[in-house]
Amino acid sequence: MLFRGWGASVDERWPDVATVTDHVGVEHLVVTRHALVRQVLADPVTWRPDNALDAVTPIPVAALRILAGHRFRLPPTLANNSGASHPEIRGIVAEALHPARVDAQRPWLTDLVGQRVARLATALAAGEPVDLYAELAADLPLLVLARLVELPDAPVGAVKEFARAALELFWAPLDADRQRALAAAVGRFHTVLRDFAATGGGLAAALRAAGHSPDVVVGALFFLLVAGQETTSQFLTLLLHRLAGEPAVRAGLRDGTVGVADVVEEGLRLEPPIVTWRRVAAVDATLGGTAVRAGTSVVLWLARAGRDPEVVAAPAEFRPGQRGSRRHLAFGAGAHRCVGAQLARMEAAVVVAQAAPLLDGVTVVRPPWCPDNLTFRMPDAFVVRSPRRPAR
């Protein structure tokens, strides 16, 4: 269950804290209650982030050798950093993703999305199927991020392959053959990142100027290229799919009775791309009346916390603006709260405002399919078609 059935089980009855054994026999403490999830996230001393990027399927020696051959290293930088260096590294990244810099990208992104939506509308009017993941959402966050952190032009396909390979290698249940293949993909791109970290401008230059080692610069870029863009393209896809089944919400967007920002927040609550996050107990502790021994892996069920009836009036219903909608934990909380939250919100707002009309009257041909993964949804496609046919 730890990897399979998150979607089906998110609305079932669960205790506040439950012990679940994973595919390799490791026990994890799954935390489901909003208040308890927030309590853990807000206390990085008792509940440390050290295991946030640990591979949930132990990586075998053969795959480790492949990574070592590419000089792959992933030192604590952002999500898994409980050390003294975290505030400074986070501050440098936060400056690159400052809300003012993010908002300055809005006109450019609005124009780009508008062009894509116009092409998709033409295809739908002609009766053609369109994939709103591949043709709209997949690369948008990467293109915006590249402008903000001054990444050099790189093949979008290669970056997407790397990011999805990393999400699978570190967070999915895998066999040894698949781990070796993924290690090769991750290692190859790590080499490219290392070269850029040594000479690149923007964020890489700022980290170097602050005296951080090449491994730290690479680690920060590595995490940003996964968490800073792949999760957002996942969210855009999941949100559009959800909106396809919410005609009343789309009607409210058209007539102005439903706000775009409220739709984005309700989407983050009900369709977060990151369903869980991990912590490890640093000391013996108590959580919701449950004794927790030091060293215990704690899985924070963010998606479940967003549906807590103690927080949200209608937990399972898509009601933009309802009480508690904005109290979701899709971006985490505390010292490690997602530094790119404002960026993800801006991107989603632009896409919702312009792409929601595409969904009127369409039939879903291929809903998003998400592979088994502890933490990430990773939808692979979202294909729709209009039943309308062009006039003859």
Side-chain angles (χ1 to χ4, degrees):
M1 176 270 154
L2 197 60
F3 298 95
R4 300 172 177 84
W6 286 116
S9 61
V10 71
D11 289 319
E12 295 175 2
R13 293 181 63 86
W14 273 81
D16 295 353
V17 179
T19 299
V20 177
T21 302
D22 71 14
H23 64 306
V24 294
V26 175
E27 288 190 346
H28 305 264
L29 208 64
V30 177
V31 184
T32 68
R33 180 67 66 184
H34 182 282
L36 295 179
V37 172
R38 190 173 186 86
Q39 175 185 329
V40 171
L41 290 171
D43 183 1
V45 175
T46 304
W47 315 100
R48 292 168 65 95
D50 303 25
N51 64 339
L53 306 187
D54 289 354
V56 297
T57 302
I59 300 178
V61 172
L64 289 173
R65 285 175 177 158
I66 293 171
L67 291 172
H70 291 280
R71 294 165 53 199
F72 179 88
R73 288 184 289 275
L74 200 59
T77 53
L78 291 168
N80 63 338
N81 190 353
S82 60
S85 65
H86 177 255
E88 182 181 69
I89 296 171
R90 179 183 171 87
I92 294 171
V93 175
E95 182 60 30
L97 304 181
H98 190 278
R101 300 191 74 226
V102 167
D103 201 53
Q105 301 302 317
R106 188 185 295 267
W108 171 83
L109 180 62
T110 299
D111 182 62
L112 177 60
V113 173
Q115 293 175 35
R116 292 186 178 188
V117 167
R119 289 198 300 270
L120 293 169
T122 299
L124 286 170
E128 300 171 9
V130 299
D131 185 343
L132 295 179
Y133 169 71
E135 299 175 64
L136 176 61
D139 65 341
L140 282 178
L142 174 58
L143 297 175
V144 180
L145 184 67
R147 290 166 65 94
L148 286 168
V149 303
E150 298 181 33
L151 289 171
D153 292 337
V156 169
V159 178
K160 299 296 288 185
E161 178 192 8
F162 147 72
R164 291 179 74 89
L167 295 184
E168 190 178 351
L169 180 62
F170 291 103
W171 285 278
L174 301 167
D175 61 34
D177 287 343
R178 184 60 179 163
Q179 285 172 302
R180 288 193 294 271
L182 292 168
V186 170
R188 284 194 301 270
F189 199 81
H190 190 268
T191 301
V192 175
L193 279 182
R194 192 168 58 249
D195 292 342
F196 172 65
T199 60
L203 177 60
L207 288 166
R208 291 197 310 271
H212 293 288
S213 70
D215 283 348
V216 166
V217 180
V218 173
L221 292 170
F222 182 98
F223 187 72
L224 271 182
L225 284 172
V226 174
Q229 60 88 21
E230 182 61 31
T231 53
T232 306
S233 67
Q234 293 174 26
F235 174 58
L236 297 177
T237 306
L238 296 165
L239 179 55
L240 289 173
H241 178 240
R242 182 73 188 223
L243 284 175
E246 301 286 348
V249 174
R250 298 199 311 274
L253 285 168
R254 283 196 303 273
D255 65 24
T257 58
V258 172
V260 169
D262 287 337
V263 169
V264 172
E265 296 304 318
E266 190 72 339
L268 288 164
R269 182 184 72 81
L270 279 172
E271 302 292 346
I274 301 176
V275 291
T276 71
W277 204 243
R278 283 177 291 168
R279 289 291 185 265
V280 60
V283 296
D284 292 345
T286 301
L287 186 61
T290 298
V292 185
R293 298 189 63 177
T296 299
S297 169
V298 179
V299 176
L300 306 173
W301 197 351
L302 306 179
R304 172 76 180 192
R307 298 173 183 235
D308 190 332
E310 294 294 320
V311 175
V312 188
E317 298 179 22
F318 198 98
R319 294 186 183 179
Q322 69 167 309
R323 175 183 64 82
S325 178
R326 291 173 178 263
R327 292 180 60 193
H328 61 78
L329 297 171
F331 296 119
H336 287 83
R337 186 177 184 276
C338 176
V339 73
Q342 184 72 15
L343 174 59
R345 284 183 164 117
M346 185 275 285
E347 293 167 339
V350 170
V351 169
V352 167
Q354 298 204 59
L358 289 176
L359 302 171
D360 291 337
V362 300
T363 298
V364 176
V365 177
R366 169 74 155 71
W369 174 80
C370 301
D372 294 333
N373 196 287
L374 174 65
T375 292
F376 299 94
R377 299 280 295 278
M378 296 178 66
D380 63 335
F382 175 35
V383 181
V384 298
R385 182 198 293 270
S386 173
R388 297 185 295 272
R389 293 292 182 269
R392 294 183 181 275

